[in-house]
Amino acid sequence: MMHILRVLKGSDTVLRVPFDHHADLTGFEAWMQIRKSKSNEVVLDELTTENKRISIGHGCFCLSFPHEITENWSFRRGLFDIKAISPDGGEVRMAEGKILVIPGVTR
């Protein structure tokens, strides 16, 4: 399923991305990268369970976009996917989509 995430630039934004609620991700870690395109080598942002910007809930990933990070974003849109990493190192792509950065008006 293709998701569209809207992040408010310069604001603390928390978003949820659902996955199949029957998937048991106990003990898994999560990893998400944002890039301009699938073939672009430059990582615009990265969320991991290690950096505490993505967590695995019941049937969803919870994504954290702090204002300290988003206020410095120079891009307006990108692509992302989220992988679940098993305890033995296996990777499963669980979600993908587009990210839209919404600039503020009030300064």
Side-chain angles (χ1 to χ4, degrees), residues 5-96:
L5 304 180
R6 290 171 178 82
V7 175
L8 302 175
K9 183 175 180 170
S11 294
D12 295 320
T13 305
V14 176
L15 301 171
R16 298 190 192 304
V17 175
F19 61 82
D20 179 4
H21 69 279
H22 296 293
D24 181 8
L25 297 182
T26 303
F28 280 64
E29 294 189 7
W31 178 30
M32 172 182 163
Q33 289 185 335
I34 302 170
R35 297 174 189 261
K36 276 284 205 194
S37 68
K38 290 182 180 186
S39 61
N40 196 305
E41 292 297 317
V42 176
V43 176
L44 300 171
D45 197 5
E46 184 168 48
L47 290 71
T48 65
T49 46
E50 188 174 298
N51 70 17
K52 299 186 183 346
R53 294 195 43 219
I54 184 171
S55 61
I56 302 171
H58 182 70
C60 70
F61 294 102
C62 185
L63 313 177
S64 174
F65 297 97
H67 72 273
E68 298 91 350
I69 291 174
T70 64
E71 67 190 7
N72 295 315
W73 283 359
S74 60
F75 63 96
R76 294 286 306 267
R77 60 184 68 223
L79 300 176
F80 75 92
D81 63 12
I82 301 173
K83 291 184 177 182
I85 314 298
S86 70
D88 65 0
E91 297 181 4
V92 178
R93 189 167 54 158
M94 301 290 293
E96 65 181 342

